[in-house]
Amino acid sequence: MLQPGSLSYIAGPVVAVVVMVLLALFMRWAFGTGGSGSVRRRPAPSDDGLLTRVATLSRRESALAFRAVLSDAGIRSTVRCPSPHRADVLVFPEDASRAREIAASFPAA
């Protein structure tokens, strides 16, 4: 029978806490980010895939406005923001020449 003050009365909770700490450390090691507190960044895309970059703007809002203009012209496009002060507008290759013509007349491009 467990009585206060006996060795098994104290050893049980101590063993349980030690096992939980070891399990937590193992989980952190196994599923951690691998960095020493640093934020992981997405790697920069190496290529644009099927899309062609037609404009690079300094603000995301300008890129979205240009994308709306392209949409009004019937050109499908997307915006990629590879860094904080850069936004690329991408279109399919068959629409690239028309999109560049529109970009030349776009005020923020």
Side-chain angles (χ1 to χ4, degrees), residues 10-50:
I10 295 172
V14 170
V15 169
V17 169
V18 169
V19 168
M20 292 300 289
V21 168
L22 290 174
L23 184 60
L25 290 173
F26 173 75
M27 296 295 279
R28 183 176 172 115
W29 172 78
F31 300 108
T33 59
S36 58
S38 63
V39 177
R40 294 179 94 185
R41 295 184 181 186
R42 277 191 338 207
S46 59
D47 68 318
D48 298 332
L50 295 175

Side-chain angles (χ1 to χ4, degrees), residues 2 11 16 30 35 62 64 94:
L2 295 179
S62 299
L64 292 174
E94 59 269 9

Side-chain angles (χ1 to χ4, degrees), residues 1-14:
M1 179 172 255
L2 295 179
Q3 295 180 8
S6 71
L7 182 61
S8 59
Y9 186 78
I10 295 172
V14 170

Side-chain angles (χ1 to χ4, degrees), residues 26-89:
F26 173 75
M27 296 295 279
R28 183 176 172 115
W29 172 78
F31 300 108
T33 59
S36 58
S38 63
V39 177
R40 294 179 94 185
R41 295 184 181 186
R42 277 191 338 207
S46 59
D47 68 318
D48 298 332
L50 295 175
L51 301 175
T52 302
R53 185 174 50 227
V54 293
T56 300
L57 297 119
S58 60
R59 294 182 34 201
R60 183 176 188 270
E61 293 79 17
S62 299
L64 292 174
F66 179 57
R67 184 172 182 238
V69 170
L70 291 175
S71 178
D72 290 343
I75 300 173
R76 294 177 297 165
S77 62
T78 190
V79 174
R80 176 183 65 191
C81 299
S83 64
H85 298 289
R86 181 178 165 199
D88 297 332
V89 180

